Amino acid sequence: MEKAVPRTMEEFSTACGVSRPTLSKFFEDPGSVKKSTRRLIEAKLEETGFQPNLYARNLNRKQTRSIGIVVPAITDPFYAQLVTRLELILREEGYWPLMISPHGRPELEREGLATLQSLRVGGALIAPLGYDSDATALARFTGQTPCVFLDNGIDENVPLVGNDNRQSIRMIVDYLCRSGTPPVYINTPPVNRSSGQRSASYEAAMQANGHAPLVIEGSGPDPWDLEKVGYDRMQAMLAEGLPGQTLLCANDRLAFGVIAAAHEAGLKIGHGDGDDLRVAGHDDHPLSRYSAPSLTTMAQDYDEMARRACARLLAMISGTDDDDAQQVLVPAKLVLRASA
């Protein structure tokens, strides 16, 4: 007759003749129990195929090894790259990442926060929707759960790790002014604080270079469909007359739409003598090097942002956070390609 597989920690404790507290110590840290006991438990695990429900055990202890990750849209390659790095770091640290995307919808962001709260996550890394976020729901969640914000925050007083927009926009504006005509700035729809920070940084950089800034605001029914926003804005500018021969887009996805509309209009993009238009972006989208032409841009340091965000959050969870700086801004790197 086949032996029944243990279904609970109590049944497994009886099966291997090891006390329940010793088993808990083993599953928390195998090196914390005697070598002979560890071998006995490991042999019984292999024999029975028992899988402990560590999640339920942590819930009973009113703590979990789960970390929530919330980003506006996982289809956005910027967030996809960041989430990939966050997940790998957290797994190496012994945490289980739980990723939620509200797909640009405030009610889904609110629902996602409530879900993470009900699961009693140990902490969360949040890139909020921005101005559409439910500020009350975010405040309630952050008041009960250690959180670090990514890319943009809800105010100046929350822990944040993001790109240094002032540094990156200043660097690319300086380059464009130095290498050709001063750039006109095409902004994303005003979905969050980051869009305003970048446009303000552009205006300051243009003035520092002795040029009058010109910001063209992006708009559209879906503010997260940035390729279409850029395409539509470029078509409108072509119909009205281009305001300049150099266009700096707030991010690479906008630039892809701009390049597509310019190509359809027969314009040649690049920085050679026979080219009609220069286009630059920001973020170093994975496809930026493969667009036609390849896109000059600012490369955000995803690895450093992910590392700093995880380190800060884990320090907050463990009670060892002594960082007085609420905001950590990571510099970006200029990447020169054929478009500008």
Side-chain angles (χ1 to χ4, degrees):
M1 182 176 178
E2 253 184 57
K3 291 184 179 179
V5 176
R7 294 174 298 174
T8 66
M9 289 281 276
E10 286 73 16
E11 290 179 2
F12 184 71
S13 172
T14 300
C16 63
V18 174
S19 70
R20 182 69 171 75
T22 300
L23 280 180
S24 293
K25 286 178 63 179
F26 170 82
F27 287 119
E28 188 70 32
D29 177 12
S32 66
V33 300
K34 291 190 301 183
K35 186 179 292 186
S36 58
T37 303
R38 184 168 70 250
R39 287 173 178 168
L40 172 63
I41 295 171
E42 289 171 346
K44 188 59 69 172
L45 283 170
E46 185 173 348
E47 175 191 331
T48 62
F50 174 66
Q51 293 290 331
N53 189 342
L54 299 181
Y55 183 69
R57 181 168 67 90
N58 282 332
L59 279 179
N60 289 334
R61 293 166 60 190
K62 296 188 178 180
Q63 63 180 4
T64 73
R65 299 284 289 182
S66 298
I67 299 293
I69 301 175
V70 182
V71 297
I74 195 59
T75 52
D76 188 314
F78 167 76
Y79 293 117
Q81 292 207 69
L82 194 56
V83 166
T84 298
R85 289 160 171 79
L86 294 171
E87 287 185 332
L88 292 175
I89 293 172
L90 292 173
R91 287 181 183 279
E92 287 183 0
E93 294 292 336
Y95 287 85
W96 303 319
L98 301 176
M99 209 289 295
I100 290 178
S101 170
H103 308 292
R105 295 167 56 182
E107 70 276 13
L108 293 184
E109 183 181 68
R110 185 167 53 248
E111 180 183 286
L113 293 173
T115 298
L116 292 177
Q117 192 75 63
S118 69
L119 293 174
R120 300 178 192 171
V121 293
L125 297 158
I126 302 176
L129 290 178
Y131 299 128
D132 284 341
S133 292
D134 185 328
T136 301
L138 276 172
R140 182 168 56 246
F141 183 82
T142 58
Q144 301 175 8
T145 307
C147 292
V148 172
F149 284 80
L150 305 165
D151 188 40
N152 73 96
I154 50 176
D155 58 49
E156 301 289 340
N157 301 311
V158 297
L160 167 74
V161 176
N163 182 71
D164 187 342
N165 289 317
R166 180 178 297 180
Q167 173 268 339
S168 60
I169 294 294
R170 174 63 184 267
M171 180 174 284
I172 197 163
V173 168
D174 287 351
Y175 163 72
L176 293 172
C177 289
R178 185 173 65 248
S179 58
T181 58
V184 173
Y185 187 77
I186 303 178
N187 201 11
T188 60
V191 292
N192 56 39
R193 295 166 63 88
S194 183
S195 60
Q197 290 171 354
R198 288 191 184 180
S199 62
S201 298
Y202 159 78
E203 292 180 3
M206 286 289 283
Q207 290 165 358
N209 277 278
H211 301 292
L214 176 57
V215 176
I216 307 294
E217 297 291 349
S219 62
D222 182 355
W224 295 100
D225 189 357
L226 293 170
E227 292 83 3
K228 180 170 174 53
V229 171
Y231 180 87
D232 290 346
R233 177 52 62 198
M234 184 61 178
Q235 283 200 319
M237 289 192 297
L238 288 168
E240 298 164 0
L242 280 177
Q245 275 65 56
T246 301
L247 303 178
L248 171 59
C249 300
N251 67 33
D252 294 347
R253 292 180 60 196
L254 276 177
F256 294 154
V258 166
I259 289 173
H263 175 74
E264 289 181 7
L267 297 179
K268 188 176 180 183
I269 298 173
H271 52 79
D273 292 338
D275 294 319
D276 304 304
L277 184 69
R278 295 193 303 164
V279 178
H282 194 291
D283 293 346
D284 200 21
H285 185 294
L287 298 180
S288 295
R289 69 188 65 189
Y290 304 114
S291 61
S294 57
L295 186 64
T296 288
T297 186
M298 292 300 298
Q300 295 201 52
D301 192 339
Y302 299 101
D303 291 320
E304 182 66 6
M305 285 192 287
R307 186 188 70 79
R308 297 286 292 271
C310 288
R312 181 72 186 273
L313 180 63
L314 297 184
M316 292 169 68
I317 292 171
S318 66
T320 59
D321 179 37
D322 57 1
D323 191 346
D324 294 329
Q326 286 292 71
Q327 301 199 345
V328 174
L329 302 180
V330 179
K333 182 176 69 174
L334 179 63
V335 180
L336 299 179
R337 299 194 180 106
S339 70

